[in-house]
Amino acid sequence: MKKVFSLTIVAVVTAVIVLCLRYQPGRATDNCSTPTECRYDLSKLKKTDTTLLIKAGISYITTTMSNLTAIAVDGINIVIGSRTGVQILDAGGSRVVDFSVAAPVNCLAVAPGGDILVGLNDHIEVYGQDGTKKAEWSKPDLKTDFTSIAVSSNFVYAADCVNRIIWRFTLSGELLGRIGEKDNGRRKNGFVVPSAFFDVAVAADGSLWVANPGEHRLEHFTADGKFLACWGKAALEADGFCGCCNPSNIAIAPDGSFVTSEKHIVRVKSYDATGAFNGIICGQEEWEKEAVGLDLAVDSKGRILVLDPQADVVRVYARK
């Protein structure tokens, strides 16, 4: 659901001062508050606390594409996007079909009927499972840059890192409106999106979860865009999100739990349905330095799929 975007994060590689959001532990409705300045030793992030690791087997799925940019799942089948096209794989990683697109794929989602929604920079295209192009939706704004797509049984949601909002469409592409504007309450800053990592996911009940990377939290909305709650905090400790703008990617598992990834100093982590920290799936030691573009998906079996653009593979973590 994201395009790869290279950005030097000064706060991660050179600074020892980061902005933190001081939240108290608890349920999602209790976890939002205001920023305060904190000081940390960033070198601690480079070594994962093994007591926090979740036991999981790992396997790798290779594709015939390079420059991978996005991943989505359709039950068990896996859909991979790149700078040149889209490839559909079965659960074991065998190729089913692939097709080309006219521009780099920023993000992907699979509609209820099986159509594949492909997010390019400024518009969405719709393809059948055989790779046939079925529709091209109108641009919602002249300066749109899509970074993520999520689909419910009724709506399509697209995250726009330029306008810093979520666009809501019907399943046929009719634009319904915007979600996530600034307000005078707990969202006075709106979505803070310093780079091209801005992710959206749909829960089983049709509600919406959005990563607000500059605020270091996940935000919960109704299907039509009413703000409900949020959880998350900025911290170098494993239960928080580090750097200028994380989490970079999110996914929701079938049991309602969350998977998150962080860029540059890499951590893929699990949180329960209330936002309580479960543990670390993998840490910096398993990745190239400052790895970015770690798009996420969780299939119907609960396997965690992590895109690895540096190696052009998909890492598959099966929790034991």
Side-chain angles (χ1 to χ4, degrees):
M1 297 177 305
K2 283 285 175 280
K3 70 178 181 180
V4 177
F5 184 95
S6 178
L7 181 69
T8 300
I9 303 302
V10 177
V12 173
V13 298
T14 62
V16 294
I17 300 176
V18 294
L19 290 179
C20 302
L21 303 175
R22 232 175 236 173
Y23 298 107
Q24 298 299 319
R27 299 183 65 86
T29 50
D30 300 325
N31 279 9
C32 308
S33 76
T34 56
T36 185
E37 189 178 277
C38 304
R39 295 177 181 270
Y40 291 102
D41 177 6
L42 294 172
S43 64
K44 292 180 180 179
L45 286 181
K46 297 181 180 180
K47 184 173 178 58
T48 302
D49 182 350
T50 57
T51 65
L52 300 178
L53 284 172
I54 294 172
K55 292 182 179 180
I58 182 173
S59 58
Y60 299 87
I61 292 176
T62 59
T63 78
T64 59
M65 300 188 300
S66 59
N67 298 310
L68 305 184
T69 57
I71 188 169
V73 293
D74 176 15
I76 293 296
N77 284 345
I78 303 164
V79 186
I80 308 293
S82 74
R83 294 188 61 82
T84 58
V86 175
Q87 190 166 88
I88 303 175
L89 310 172
D90 64 19
S94 298
R95 174 181 170 274
V96 176
V97 68
D98 54 22
F99 54 91
S100 298
V101 294
V105 177
N106 285 1
C107 44
L108 293 167
V110 183
D115 285 343
I116 299 169
L117 304 182
V118 179
L120 307 180
N121 267 354
D122 59 2
H123 69 280
I124 293 171
E125 296 181 354
V126 183
Y127 292 82
Q129 289 279 334
D130 61 355
T132 302
K133 185 176 178 179
K134 301 175 71 173
E136 182 173 320
W137 295 1
S138 299
K139 302 176 185 179
D141 187 270
L142 292 176
K143 296 182 179 180
T144 296
D145 191 352
F146 289 130
T147 55
S148 179
I149 304 175
V151 185
S152 71
S153 58
N154 298 307
F155 304 112
V156 174
Y157 303 93
D160 178 352
C161 71
V162 172
N163 289 289
R164 297 178 176 85
I165 52 92
I166 305 297
W167 298 101
R168 183 167 69 108
F169 301 87
T170 65
L171 294 177
S172 60
E174 178 188 354
L175 180 61
L176 297 176
R178 300 156 61 105
I179 293 173
E181 303 280 12
K182 297 179 182 179
D183 60 33
N184 293 323
R186 294 196 294 175
R187 300 199 70 259
K188 62 183 179 180
N189 295 326
F191 292 122
V192 181
V193 187
S195 65
F197 291 94
F198 182 34
D199 215 356
V200 59
V202 171
D205 63 0
S207 62
L208 195 66
W209 284 93
V210 185
N212 192 340
E215 297 285 344
H216 301 89
R217 69 192 193 192
L218 279 69
E219 298 185 355
H220 194 196
F221 297 84
T222 63
D224 59 358
K226 180 182 177 182
F227 176 68
L228 295 173
C230 62
W231 61 263
K233 64 181 180 181
L236 298 189
E237 290 77 20
D239 61 340
F241 301 112
C242 71
C244 80
C245 38
N246 274 309
S248 59
N249 299 84
I250 62 173
I252 302 176
D255 63 0
S257 63
F258 298 89
V259 180
T260 67
S261 66
E262 296 167 62
K263 62 186 184 298
H264 295 290
I265 295 180
V266 180
R267 299 186 292 195
V268 178
K269 300 181 296 190
S270 172
Y271 296 82
D272 73 15
T274 72
F277 178 63
N278 284 333
I280 299 171
I281 305 297
C282 61
Q284 177 65 63
E285 296 91 339
E286 296 186 33
W287 296 85
E288 292 183 15
K289 183 180 180 181
E290 296 188 9
V292 294
L294 277 59
D295 200 8
L296 300 170
V298 184
D299 68 16
S300 60
K301 293 184 177 181
R303 299 187 307 168
I304 297 168
L305 311 179
V306 185
L307 197 69
D308 184 347
Q310 284 72 31
D312 285 324
V313 301
V314 177
R315 300 184 180 208
V316 182
Y317 294 90
R319 286 179 279 196
K320 297 179 180 179

